[in-house]
Amino acid sequence: MADLKPGGRLPLLFFGMLSLLGGVMAGLARLGWDVPGPAMQAAGVHGPLMIAAFFGTVISLERAVAAGRNWAYLAPLAAGASGIALLAGAPLLLGQMLGSLGALGLIAASAVALRRQVAVFTIILTLAAGCWLVGNLVWLATGNVSAAVAWWLLFLVLTIAGERLELTRFLPTPPLAQKLFLAIVGILLLGAVALFDRLFAGGLIALALWLLRYDIARRNIATEGLTRFIAACLLSGYAWLAAAGLLGLAGAFAPGHEWRDAALHAIGLGFVFSMVFGHAPIIFPAVTRIRIPYHPALYLPLALLHLTLALRVFGGLNDNFDLRHTAALLNGLVLLIFIATLVTLVRRNAKRGAR
């Protein structure tokens, strides 16, 4: 079956960006900021909008392009539609069902890659898609977003880890390292199943240390240009993942813990969005066929991301609500700065092409 052309993929990406915008504003609403009505009423589904709807759409779209099957695009369509349903105030069940359909579609698309190449990294990517589905089903069954958070975090963490594991094939990695990686994944899964937050936190620390030790980013940081920028994003993201794990060991992943906001955003913003910043110049052109040229200006939003997140974490650890309140707004502005930077680079490249 023929693949969907790049022009047909843009609306799906747009749906994901709506979920991102709505999710950011819903998060601000949770901290008392005045936001438009749809985002205000979606304050309770900030997590599902950011993880299940936005990242579900983007990751499913990327996997659909890799699968090269038209049916695979039903996954990002369903995930994007779930975000719109949540923002539109539709019955919660509709958003939950659409998100679950998106997860099933991602599992099917991941299975295509698994059939093409049975390897540890393709198994991990398929397992990550399964974690997204489990999280959605837990939310559907309990109506409790907090109960699904560990599974949704695993969806993102294992997706990133699986993609990084693929690149270790080009390094002289000892056989024991892969066994250690699988053991870490097992610890994370056990922590999610047993609701043992500290075991889960320990798994995050172990994974961060594994990535810092074996990821090719350690070598690429000594290069230049886009390769060095990506390495900087990766290494800084791994540091935030380790920090989240350390907070988790102190009990921060428990619902209601005063450090929970700091721990969750150390993963969601510090780790995951560092990966987004680093991979966007590669993944966006692969999906849309629109080139994003490298420019040192990309370091600005990366530095601001870490600075504003550090302020938010500091505010959370010291029970300083005003600092958390302000830093959360700055976190959202950083994402807009990053998008504006990408758009500017694309426009500059288009003008040069025209000349």
Side-chain angles (χ1 to χ4, degrees), residues 297-322:
L298 288 169
Y299 280 99
L300 174 62
L302 178 64
L304 291 175
L305 174 70
H306 296 319
L307 175 61
T308 58
L309 178 56
L311 291 174
R312 181 170 188 162
V313 170
F314 183 79
L317 297 184
N318 290 277
D319 196 24
N320 187 330
F321 179 79
D322 290 338

Side-chain angles (χ1 to χ4, degrees), residues 1 8 11 79 90 111 126 199 218:
M1 187 178 293
T126 306
L199 182 63
R218 288 183 63 215

